[in-house]
Amino acid sequence: MASVSPIPADPLAALADTECQRLAARLAQDAFAAVFRMAVAPDSDVEAGALGELAGRCSNWSQAGADDDARALRLALLVNGLDAWGLAYTQAFQLTAIPALTALLGGLRTRLDAAADARFQQQFARIAEVEFAAVDFKVELRRSIHLALWHAMSACETAEQAEGLVRPLGSLLLGLNEQMPELGWRLIADALASIQISLLADPAASAIAQEGTRQLFAALRHALPGERHQAILAHSGRAVVAWQQARRARDAEGRIDA
């Protein structure tokens, strides 16, 4: 992979611009965090009210789109994001299900009439089937998921616990390479850069975090084709260098101001 081809135009950008897509990813993350807390500490009375309120917020944001197609896309982005978070966490933490997530997703769909549901399914399929459809959403979403699992691994108390999260995180990254031939490797590079930046930003990172990261990088090196792995390292390396340069510039500016 001697050169990096430019990212094709996003076919959904006219319906949801970059900021809208990134906001959808953040809303999906916040909504998933809420339902995951319900799974960890279930309380049926509290859960019913909280789920209704959460579904209402998601629905209201979706309905703020400019037209029917934009509204359908907003909902499809949220559902896609919630699905991705749910799949990642059920695999990483060996869960059979997250009932509150299932209820939330069902509640969002049951609000739609037949025509709205058809538009939703069309937009949902485009996100899933076209690699660069909603590309800003996919980058923001995957970065958040990968970093969340990495932070969970870093917080483990034992090496065995950490290894139990390194494996599903590695599988998740390798799956992107298989599912998305053009975008997947870029998402892996983004994940590796984000992880390296997190370590560089925290000199006190635990030995478990550092060892888990080493294991993750080694597993990817062995599993990925050599040329693809080198392209990922080059891409992530440029992002890390850019972050380091920006930090040094901020530090220098701070010293001058002082």
Side-chain angles (χ1 to χ4, degrees):
M1 193 174 295
S3 61
V4 177
S5 58
I7 294 178
D10 180 351
L12 297 178
L15 293 175
D17 62 15
T18 295
E19 186 53 38
C20 179
Q21 291 186 27
R22 290 175 177 169
L23 179 56
R26 293 193 291 270
L27 288 173
Q29 179 179 6
D30 291 344
F32 178 77
V35 297
F36 193 69
R37 285 194 295 270
M38 295 177 197
V40 173
D43 184 325
S44 57
D45 293 334
V46 173
E47 183 176 313
L51 273 176
E53 181 181 345
L54 185 58
R57 290 202 302 271
C58 291
S59 180
N60 289 341
W61 183 79
S62 300
Q63 290 303 307
D67 57 28
D68 287 343
D69 286 335
R71 288 188 281 273
L73 177 56
R74 283 184 172 218
L75 181 58
L77 290 170
L78 287 178
V79 172
N80 180 283
L82 288 166
D83 277 345
W85 276 100
L87 179 61
Y89 268 55
T90 52
Q91 292 177 344
F93 296 100
Q94 300 180 11
L95 305 173
T96 55
I98 305 175
L101 176 60
T102 303
L104 174 60
L105 291 171
L108 292 173
R109 292 288 300 276
T110 57
R111 294 167 180 254
L112 305 177
D113 60 25
D117 191 64
R119 286 190 294 269
F120 162 80
Q121 291 186 51
Q122 181 183 42
Q123 299 296 352
F124 189 83
R126 292 182 75 188
I127 295 169
E129 295 168 4
V130 181
E131 274 194 65
F132 291 97
V135 63
D136 292 303
F137 165 79
K138 290 174 179 175
V139 171
E140 186 79 16
L141 173 72
R142 293 296 172 175
R143 179 184 297 147
S144 299
I145 292 174
H146 300 150
L147 274 178
L149 292 178
W150 180 81
H151 282 297
M153 179 276 294
S154 300
C156 288
E157 296 180 353
T158 67
E160 291 76 17
Q161 291 173 343
E163 186 178 348
L165 287 174
V166 169
R167 285 195 300 270
L169 177 54
S171 296
L172 192 65
L173 292 171
L174 291 173
L176 294 175
N177 185 61
E178 297 170 0
Q179 298 156 15
M180 294 185 273
E182 295 299 325
L183 180 60
W185 72 269
R186 301 172 195 260
L187 296 176
I188 298 173
D190 180 87
L192 299 190
S194 298
I195 289 170
Q196 291 179 82
I197 288 170
S198 295
L199 279 176
L200 290 170
D202 182 15
S206 69
I208 286 179
Q210 296 179 39
E211 175 59 19
T213 301
R214 187 198 66 76
Q215 291 178 5
L216 175 65
F217 279 52
L220 293 174
R221 182 177 67 250
H222 289 301
L224 289 165
E227 187 178 2
R228 175 56 57 92
H229 182 251
Q230 289 303 315
I232 289 170
L233 290 184
H235 204 65
S236 64
R238 286 192 291 271
V240 173
V241 169
W243 176 84
Q244 291 174 315
Q245 291 173 339
R247 185 170 71 165
R248 283 196 291 268
R250 288 194 301 270
D251 291 345
E253 184 178 341
R255 288 194 295 271
I256 292 172
D257 292 341

